[in-house]
Amino acid sequence: MQIKSREQVEGGRERVEVVPESIDDLWHLQYVLEPGDRVAGDTTRRIQRNDEQMRDTGGEREPMWVAIAVEDIEFHKFANRLRVGGEIVACSREDQLGFHHTLNVEERDELSIEKWFKPDQEARLEEAEEATENPDVAIATVEEGAAHVHTVAQYGTEERATISGPTGKGDFARDRSELFDELAAVLSRMDVDAIILAGPGFTKQDARKHFEKNNAGLTELITMVDTSAVGDRGVHEVLKRGAVADVQQETRIESEAEAIDELTRRIAEGAKAAYGPEEVSKAAEYGAIEELLILDDKLRKERGPDGEWALDVDDIVRTAEQKGGEVTVFSSEFPPGQQLSNLGGIAALLRYRLE
């Protein structure tokens, strides 16, 4: 995320000019934005005309600048866009004021955001800005006859390719170069800064040797990791072993996995942990929270009109921070976040046990 400017505006709000540079940045923005914010940017809008020539076509799209009072936000991962809808409150065409409009925000679109920023939203913007400097990582897991390629993103891991090929073992063994060539072609097309090559046995070593002879540029990017499986299970092993942290200082996924593992261990032992809004709120009031864990989807929902808790989620977050606790916002896109969801979407690692 590129943050181009920041300034205080009337009413104590802050205006930030940002340029999302990746799908990760669009994902971050869906949790920074909330109803009541003002968002502005360039767009196109279908204009209805009264003249006879345009009446039958339903209008034509014209480029314009609009500012909207945000009502709804939707992240469309597979379309690589963030949809921000609301009423037009300022516009380069005054006759469009008061109409509803949706900004389709894509990578490289400049956006102006005006709002009262909450601490976790400030932290998320800073995280997105810092993540721009982190290397993009691909995880390739390979075994006899099959290979899988995943990418590591701020919102989770995503499978990019599954490749099947000949096996190098058995009476009907064929040369595995087919599989390795196809894997090399997939990795070469991905503009990544690091590749983790993982899997059981010696197939990954053979793949690397093949790359050294035929795709020397790839070998400079490769880190080798032993895993007992390939595919999703192999990727999970890579993440749990901290292999990605060798090339990326620390990913959101790894830190969440560590925190949720520690939480479940403490819960199983009846140790210093709390979960659910009531228990966590009580722990915050006592100053007992060492680290507050909250799900991004739950945080966003509880801040809006559809919240289900009797407690104010911002009060819990604010109290935890004021009394020295750290706050970790989990992604709902990754298994640790799904585990946290099963515990009510909010939990805490405590400094001491509450009776």
Side-chain angles (χ1 to χ4, degrees):
M1 181 91 71
Q2 183 185 157
I3 299 179
K4 298 189 69 174
S5 66
R6 306 181 80 125
E7 62 176 327
Q8 294 294 319
V9 294
E10 187 178 353
R13 291 157 72 98
E14 187 176 11
R15 181 184 297 130
V16 180
E17 304 279 345
V18 303
V19 179
E21 298 179 315
S22 67
I23 189 173
D24 287 350
D25 293 340
L26 298 176
W27 173 76
H28 278 298
L29 283 176
Q30 77 167 320
Y31 294 108
V32 171
L33 299 175
E34 55 191 328
D37 296 345
R38 174 175 160 139
V39 172
D42 293 324
T43 186
T44 61
R45 182 168 171 79
R46 193 175 299 281
I47 304 298
Q48 296 294 328
R49 301 183 186 276
N50 293 324
D51 59 282
E52 292 296 327
Q53 287 184 331
M54 297 303 300
R55 186 172 296 163
D56 293 337
T57 66
E60 62 180 8
R61 286 200 166 274
E62 292 188 7
M64 65 183 65
W65 174 90
V66 301
I68 62 174
V70 176
E71 296 173 9
D72 50 82
I73 309 103
E74 293 180 278
F75 173 53
H76 292 253
K77 179 170 71 174
F78 299 108
N80 289 0
R81 65 174 51 173
L82 180 72
R83 290 171 58 85
V84 184
E87 182 182 330
I88 298 175
V89 293
C91 187
S92 55
R93 284 186 57 117
E94 289 188 6
D95 61 347
Q96 298 302 299
L97 292 175
F99 287 104
H100 188 278
H101 185 73
T102 297
L103 283 168
N104 289 305
V105 185
E106 300 181 349
E107 297 170 37
R108 310 304 306 172
D109 287 346
E110 187 171 330
L111 204 65
S112 171
I113 302 169
E114 188 178 308
K115 64 179 283 126
W116 288 284
F117 282 91
K118 299 179 175 71
D120 62 280
Q121 295 165 343
E122 293 272 13
R124 191 175 280 271
L125 274 185
E126 291 170 7
E127 179 184 350
E129 186 178 26
E130 291 169 3
T132 302
E133 303 301 321
N134 290 341
D136 295 318
V137 182
I139 301 175
T141 54
V142 59
E143 63 181 355
E144 288 295 335
H148 306 262
V149 179
H150 289 69
T151 52
V152 179
Q154 294 291 305
Y155 59 84
T157 57
E158 183 175 352
E159 186 171 29
R160 293 299 184 90
T162 298
I163 306 162
S164 59
T167 176
K169 294 183 177 181
D171 295 336
F172 302 99
R174 291 186 292 145
D175 195 324
R176 291 174 296 174
S177 61
E178 264 183 61
L179 175 67
F180 297 155
D181 282 340
E182 193 170 348
L183 177 58
V186 170
L187 292 172
S188 296
R189 288 195 299 267
M190 300 172 67
D191 185 20
V192 296
D193 299 320
I195 298 168
I196 295 175
L197 186 58
F202 296 100
T203 308
K204 59 185 175 296
Q205 282 91 338
D206 294 339
R208 183 186 176 116
K209 290 176 183 176
H210 183 86
F211 297 159
E212 286 174 351
K213 291 180 181 179
N214 302 283
N215 307 86
L218 288 179
T219 58
E220 299 173 1
L221 307 178
I222 288 176
T223 299
M224 303 278 282
V225 176
D226 289 320
T227 61
S228 63
V230 297
D232 291 338
R233 284 180 55 203
V235 169
H236 184 66
E237 286 186 57
V238 168
L239 293 170
K240 284 202 71 172
R241 293 182 185 187
V244 174
D246 293 338
V247 288
Q248 239 180 354
Q249 288 186 342
E250 184 179 39
T251 66
R252 164 182 294 272
I253 297 166
E254 287 169 359
S255 62
E256 289 178 9
E258 290 173 5
I260 204 70
D261 285 348
E262 177 64 14
L263 177 69
T264 53
R265 183 188 67 78
R266 291 191 188 188
I267 291 173
E269 295 174 356
K272 298 176 289 184
Y275 60 92
E278 288 79 14
E279 280 194 31
V280 173
S281 177
K282 179 181 176 183
E285 290 295 335
Y286 279 107
I289 293 181
E290 180 181 3
E291 184 177 4
L292 175 67
L293 317 177
I294 186 163
L295 191 65
D296 50 16
D297 279 351
K298 179 59 70 173
L299 181 60
R300 181 175 168 188
K301 181 176 181 179
E302 293 303 322
R303 279 176 169 161
D306 299 324
E308 300 170 346
W309 296 350
L311 300 161
D312 186 326
V313 66
D314 284 323
D315 283 346
I316 299 174
V317 173
R318 190 181 307 111
T319 302
E321 287 183 322
Q322 288 174 346
K323 298 192 177 183
E326 295 183 10
V327 177
T328 299
V329 180
F330 275 54
S331 166
S332 57
E333 299 283 342
F334 198 63
Q338 294 158 18
Q339 289 177 262
L340 185 59
S341 178
N342 293 336
L343 295 171
I346 188 169
L349 301 173
L350 305 182
R351 297 188 177 95
Y352 52 86
R353 184 175 172 179
L354 295 180
E355 297 299 335

